[in-house]
Structures are given as structure tokens and as C-alpha cells.
Amino acid sequence: MNNMKETIRSVSVELFFKKGYFATSISDIANGCGIQKASIYHHYASKEELLFSILKGTMDDLTDCLKASLAGSDDVEQQMRAAVRSHVRFHLERQKETFIANSELRGLTSEHHKIIVQKRNEYERIFQNLIHEGSEKGVFSRGDVKILSYAILTLCTAGATWFKPDGRLSIEEIAAIYDGFIISGLKQSV
Amino acid sequence: MNNMKETIRSVSVELFFKKGYFATSISDIANGCGIQKASIYHHYASKEELLFSILKGTMDDLTDCLKASLAGSDDVEQQMRAAVRSHVRFHLERQKETFIANSELRGLTSEHHKIIVQKRNEYERIFQNLIHEGSEKGVFSRGDVKILSYAILTLCTAGATWFKPDGRLSIEEIAAIYDGFIISGLKQSV
DNA sequence: AAAATTCTACCGACCGGACGTTAGGGAAAC
DNA sequence: GTTTCCCTAACGTCCGGTCGGTAGAATTTT
């Protein structure tokens, strides 16, 4: 694929992940692509738009993944397990993008910021609904839905901070650990 | 206290929290202090040193807090509960500083970065030792110590991201929720 | 106790450089 | 022959940091 726009995107992801959005200059990106920095502007209107397009695409894919993972079952506990695993998998498989999506929101204009936050809220609501449904049905113990959802999500999200693809544990192993940890936390048998 | 150095520090914390380290200029800080930007350099050698001094102080206080909270008991489970609560409390009470400490590491020189990471590692090791001891004694079920420690820490740390001091729940209530969630996750009765 | 010196805290002006972005041109593809 | 894609060159702005200086408090010398 000789698609320069795609190259710019992936080089940006790499650099934003490694050095951060503000510390990455347009020259850095152009350099990584082997072109001049002015040429970037043929594909993206601004640095901020480049960031936004990365974040938007990532958030959309994330939500799609989650929805697909829920389709397999009607059981709340099974759905929660599937959701957690989907969440973990996505964040570790696409570690760099999700890391950026969670750390570089400040680089966005306020309109773009609003759009991303809204997408994130929709995503969170799916988890909150699962928690709510689970505690209604007595599968999970009752607790503060919002706090619990934040707990679950940030727990996995943070995985993107320290995960090393060639580390001791595979993505599936980590997903299983989190799955067990979270389900037992939700059941709160203690 | 008419200490300008202290004022600069607290204004910086405020701005770094609100806008981020890179998006905050020395002029912004000086403005917030009611002085000229050149005067900042009378108190701090550079912008980076200002950031470093905030992070170092925060990390030292954090570790002190944790150690103090452990002194009260010999029981592993009670110590873990105390540790979690100390961790949560600190992160919510000093939300702005801890948020910065977890998001602005990239602003540091590599030597300063190394120092902060080392402090964080020492802090984490205390939790890892507790998990290890607990699973040795059969209080907790066996699991990957590192992953579990990351899970516990990032869970609470992330609280500093969304916590609103005047929100529905008090710090103690949130600490109690996390305490229960984590302990049951560690016991893994599921 | 007065004079001389040093120190503290700050200011206004400025510098070099980096950065995001734009203008305009040229070659090649369609 | 128009569109696509990338180039060279430059522009304006902002930022971290420096410099020389000043007013006054504190300290030392005489």
C-alpha cells in the first residue's frame, strides 16, 4: 500500500505514543515519512486534525469491537466477561492508539474534544448498563454503578501504559486475569 | 505565608493540571503569580526543574503516607486494606499533584525521569510484597503479582482523573468501594 | 551610629530558535 | 490539460531563557 496518508497516520501514532503529541513536531512526522513537512498539509489540514482523526477512528473501532463481543450471549455475567475481554484485548492489541486516546485529549480543539468525550461516554454507558442489569438480577452485588464502571475501564485502559508485547504474559492471559479480578470484585463475596 | 516560591509552585500545579505541562508557558505561571516571567528564574532554574520539584515532593509524600498507614497492623489483609485506602485518599486529596505525577513524566529530563520512576517502583514494591505475602499465607489466592499490583495501583490512580471534590461521594466512600473491590478480587473466590 | 557593602527579589527588554502553517512552483499521473 | 502530490522557501508567532539593572533590606565595616 503506497498510501502516504496512511503512512503519515501510522508514523504519527508511533511518535505520539513515544514522545507525546506536543513534543512531536510536524517536521518529526515528515521526517519519519521521508517527505517534507509542508507535504503533510496536502493530506491533513492541521496537526490537530491529524490527532483528531486518529482518536476518532480508534474510538469508533473500540465501540464496534465491544458491540460485536456482546452479540454472542444473553447472560449478563457472560456478557460482562466478554466485554472485559474485548476491552482488554483492544487496548493491548492497539496499545499505541488507545494510549494516545487516553492521554492526548488536551491537544484537541474544544469541539473535537467534545466529540471524543461523547464517544467515550457512550462506550462507558454500555458497561454501566451491564453492571446495572447484573445487580438488578442479583448476579452482581449492588454498588455504585459509575464508580464501578470507571474502575473496570480504567483498570484495563491502564494496561496500555505498561504492556510490553513481548513480555511474560500474552494478551489472552492478561485478559483472563482481569476478567477474574473484575467479576469477583463485582460479586463482592467478601 | 508570603513565600513567592510556594506561590509559584501552587500556581504551576493548578495550571499543569488544567492545561498540561507543555501547554502552560512560563508567562502563564508568572501571570498567575502577579510577577514577571523573568522573576520565576530567581526561584527555579528552569521550567523542567519546577516540574521535577513538584513531582519529587509529591512522590515522597505519597510514600511517607503509605508507610505510615502500614505501621498500625501486622495482619496482611488489614495492611492491604490500609494500603489501598491510603493510596486512594492521597490520590483524591491531592488530586492535582498526583494527576500531574502520572501524566507529565515526559516533561522531565532523562535523569529526573529516572529518579521519579525509581521512586514509583519502590512504592509499587510495597504493594507487591503485600500481595506476595498474602498469597503465601493463603489469605489471597495466587496470581501474577506484578499484574495484580498494577491493577490495584492504576485503579486508584485513575481516580484522580475523574474525581470531583464536590461530587456525590466522599473520599472515604470511594476508598471503601475500592477497598472491597480489590480485596474480593485478590481473594478470587469466583 | 553612620557608611559601605552585599544580598534578595524583582523587572523590562531582548534573543535565538523552533514551530505550525502558507505560498507558489514543478513534475508526473490520469 | 487538469488534478494529484510533493517540493523549496519563507513567514509570523511564541516560548524558554538571559542580561543588565534597580530598589530596598540586611549585614558588615569603620
Side-chain angles (χ1 to χ4, degrees):
Chain A
M1 199 186 308
N2 217 355
N3 190 336
M4 182 54 73
K5 186 163 184 173
E6 195 46 49
T7 303
I8 294 172
R9 193 195 123 100
S10 71
V11 167
S12 299
V13 168
E14 214 69 34
L15 291 176
F16 291 168
F17 176 71
K18 188 161 53 172
K19 317 200 310 172
Y21 174 71
F22 287 107
T24 301
S25 69
I26 294 285
S27 312
D28 291 337
I29 298 169
N31 227 10
C33 298
I35 58 174
Q36 293 299 310
K37 65 176 179 173
S39 310
I40 303 270
Y41 290 87
H42 178 70
H43 302 279
Y44 293 95
S46 67
K47 188 186 176 187
E48 190 269 347
E49 202 213 78
L50 175 49
L51 176 64
F52 176 65
S53 95
I54 292 171
L55 298 198
K56 185 177 174 312
T58 305
M59 286 307 295
D60 286 342
D61 292 351
L62 176 64
T63 305
D64 290 348
C65 252
L66 177 63
K67 284 180 176 163
S69 81
L70 291 181
S73 167
D74 286 347
D75 180 65
V76 190
E77 180 173 336
Q78 290 311 315
Q79 282 194 320
M80 180 57 89
R81 287 187 187 272
V84 168
R85 283 174 190 253
S86 159
H87 185 70
V88 175
R89 254 185 235 115
F90 192 92
H91 276 75
L92 300 191
E93 270 164 13
R94 297 177 61 173
Q95 181 190 21
K96 288 166 188 171
E97 289 161 270
T98 52
F99 178 79
I100 297 168
N102 279 291
S103 59
E104 302 292 6
L105 282 190
R106 282 207 269 233
L108 297 173
T109 63
S110 62
E111 302 87 53
H112 284 167
H113 183 94
K114 212 182 295 179
I115 293 174
I116 298 295
V117 167
Q118 191 177 327
K119 284 184 188 296
R120 208 187 50 191
N121 286 344
E122 285 167 17
Y123 184 78
E124 288 176 354
R125 202 161 304 125
I126 298 178
F127 278 86
Q128 287 161 8
N129 288 341
L130 277 178
I131 297 172
H132 183 73
E133 191 186 337
S135 58
E136 285 286 308
K137 292 187 176 169
V139 180
F140 305 143
S141 70
R142 279 182 197 283
D144 189 277
V145 174
K146 281 229 166 163
I147 301 285
L148 288 173
S149 72
Y150 293 157
I152 294 169
L153 293 173
T154 54
L155 206 152
C156 312
T157 303
T161 309
W162 52 258
F163 178 64
K164 299 214 162 56
D166 47 358
R168 289 192 337 281
L169 297 170
S170 71
I171 289 179
E172 286 306 321
E173 285 169 322
I174 295 173
I177 293 175
Y178 279 164
D179 180 358
F181 191 88
I182 287 170
I183 293 293
S184 69
L186 282 172
K187 295 197 171 182
Q188 282 268 21
S189 47
V190 180
Chain B
M1 201 185 307
N2 216 355
N3 190 336
M4 182 55 72
K5 185 163 186 174
E6 194 45 48
T7 303
I8 294 172
R9 194 196 123 100
S10 72
V11 167
S12 300
V13 167
E14 215 69 32
L15 291 176
F16 291 168
F17 177 71
K18 189 160 55 176
K19 317 202 307 173
Y21 174 71
F22 288 108
T24 301
S25 69
I26 293 286
S27 310
D28 291 336
I29 297 169
N31 228 10
C33 298
I35 58 174
Q36 292 298 312
K37 70 172 180 171
S39 311
I40 303 270
Y41 291 88
H42 178 69
H43 301 280
Y44 293 94
S46 68
K47 190 186 177 189
E48 189 268 347
E49 202 213 78
L50 176 50
L51 175 64
F52 176 64
S53 94
I54 292 172
L55 298 198
K56 185 177 175 309
T58 304
M59 286 306 296
D60 286 341
D61 291 352
L62 176 64
T63 305
D64 290 348
C65 253
L66 177 62
K67 285 181 176 165
S69 82
L70 291 182
S73 166
D74 285 349
D75 181 65
V76 189
E77 180 173 338
Q78 289 311 314
Q79 283 194 320
M80 179 58 87
R81 287 188 187 272
V84 168
R85 284 175 191 251
S86 159
H87 186 70
V88 175
R89 254 186 233 116
F90 192 92
H91 276 75
L92 300 191
E93 270 164 14
R94 297 177 61 172
Q95 182 189 20
K96 289 168 186 168
E97 289 161 271
T98 51
F99 178 79
I100 297 168
N102 279 292
S103 59
E104 302 292 7
L105 281 192
R106 282 208 268 232
L108 297 173
T109 63
S110 62
E111 301 89 50
H112 284 166
H113 183 93
K114 212 182 294 178
I115 293 173
I116 299 294
V117 168
Q118 191 178 328
K119 283 183 189 299
R120 208 186 51 193
N121 286 345
E122 285 167 18
Y123 185 78
E124 287 175 357
R125 202 160 305 126
I126 297 177
F127 278 84
Q128 288 162 7
N129 287 343
L130 277 177
I131 297 172
H132 183 72
E133 192 186 335
S135 58
E136 285 286 308
K137 292 188 175 168
V139 181
F140 306 142
S141 71
R142 281 182 196 281
D144 189 276
V145 174
K146 281 231 165 162
I147 302 286
L148 288 174
S149 73
Y150 293 157
I152 294 170
L153 293 173
T154 53
L155 205 151
C156 313
T157 304
T161 310
W162 52 259
F163 178 64
K164 299 215 164 54
D166 47 357
R168 290 193 337 282
L169 297 171
S170 70
I171 290 179
E172 287 306 318
E173 285 170 322
I174 296 174
I177 293 175
Y178 280 164
D179 180 357
F181 191 87
I182 287 171
I183 292 293
S184 70
L186 282 173
K187 294 197 172 181
Q188 282 267 24
S189 48
V190 178

